[in-house]
């Protein structure tokens, strides 16, 4: 089938060494960003304007952000799995009017929730999230269920 989150765009800004990711974090987005980084080693950051998407892709993007010491930005908003990438930023910038939305894992199809790698996956993201995130905010993340966004 077609990935419902494949409505993304990934591009290098013309006037700044920044990559702009817009749309869902669908399958293949981390490969596109990796290709762009390979062709533009001068990249200093990534703008994330995304409703979220596939956690696997978000983790791959997080690794790319960490590996390349990128700053992260959001101009419009970064939600759900996107925040895993945002938190990985060397420095993080939130534009006026933009929002972040964190929550625990869940699957749109409740019957599939028992198959997700929740404990290990959330520990991975938690280890990443403690990178400069206050304890009170970490506790708030932990209390937000999958539909709390």
């Amino acid at each position: 089938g077609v990935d419902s989150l494949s409505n993304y765009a990934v591009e290098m800004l013309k006037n700044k060494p920044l990559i702009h990711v817009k749309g869902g974090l669908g399958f293949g987005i981390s490969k596109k960003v990796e290709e762009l980084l390979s062709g533009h080693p001068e990249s200093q950051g990534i703008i994330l304007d995304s409703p979220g998407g596939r956690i696997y892709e978000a983790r791959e993007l997080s690794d790319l952000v960490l590996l390349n010491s990128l700053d992260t930005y959001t101009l419009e908003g970064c939600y759900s799995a996107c925040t895993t990438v945002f938190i990985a930023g060397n420095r993080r910038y939130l534009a006026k009017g933009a929002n972040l939305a964190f929550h625990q894992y869940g699957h749109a199809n409740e019957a599939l929730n028992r198959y997700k790698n929740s404990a290990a996956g959330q520990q991975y993201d938690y280890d990443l999230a403690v990178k400069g995130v206050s304890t009170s905010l970490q506790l708030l993340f932990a209390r937000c269920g999958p539909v709390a966004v």
Side-chain angles (χ1 to χ4, degrees):
V2 175
D3 184 6
S4 63
L5 296 167
S6 63
N7 63 334
Y8 57 79
V10 178
E11 63 182 2
M12 191 75 193
L13 294 185
K14 291 177 176 55
N15 57 348
K16 293 184 179 173
L18 299 173
I19 295 169
H20 193 180
V21 170
K22 200 167 177 92
L25 301 183
F27 293 122
I29 195 168
S30 58
K31 272 284 185 233
K32 295 231 185 248
V33 170
E34 184 175 28
E35 290 167 5
L36 208 50
L37 283 168
S38 293
H40 297 275
E42 75 279 8
S43 299
Q44 296 176 1
I46 185 168
I47 301 168
L48 303 160
D49 290 323
S50 173
R54 311 284 175 218
I55 191 64
Y56 170 81
E57 292 292 337
R59 288 183 185 140
E60 291 294 310
L61 287 171
S62 296
D63 289 344
L64 290 171
V65 167
L66 289 167
L67 184 64
N68 292 280
S69 296
L70 299 176
D71 294 335
T72 53
Y73 305 78
T74 186
L75 304 176
E76 298 172 9
C78 178
Y79 306 93
S80 192
C82 178
T83 59
T84 300
V85 187
F86 186 84
I87 286 295
N90 190 39
R91 288 177 297 222
R92 299 174 291 271
Y93 300 94
L94 182 66
K96 186 174 183 174
N99 295 303
L100 300 174
F102 297 86
H103 64 85
Q104 292 180 17
Y105 294 162
H107 195 284
N109 181 340
E110 289 293 323
L112 296 177
N113 275 334
R114 64 184 170 164
Y115 298 110
K116 67 185 190 283
N117 185 7
S118 186
Q122 290 194 56
Q123 185 62 48
Y124 173 91
D125 295 338
Y126 176 78
D127 291 343
L128 184 63
V130 296
K131 183 182 175 250
V133 177
S134 72
T135 303
S136 59
L137 193 53
Q138 291 173 43
L139 292 171
L140 181 61
F141 298 164
R143 286 196 308 263
C144 293
V147 293
V149 174

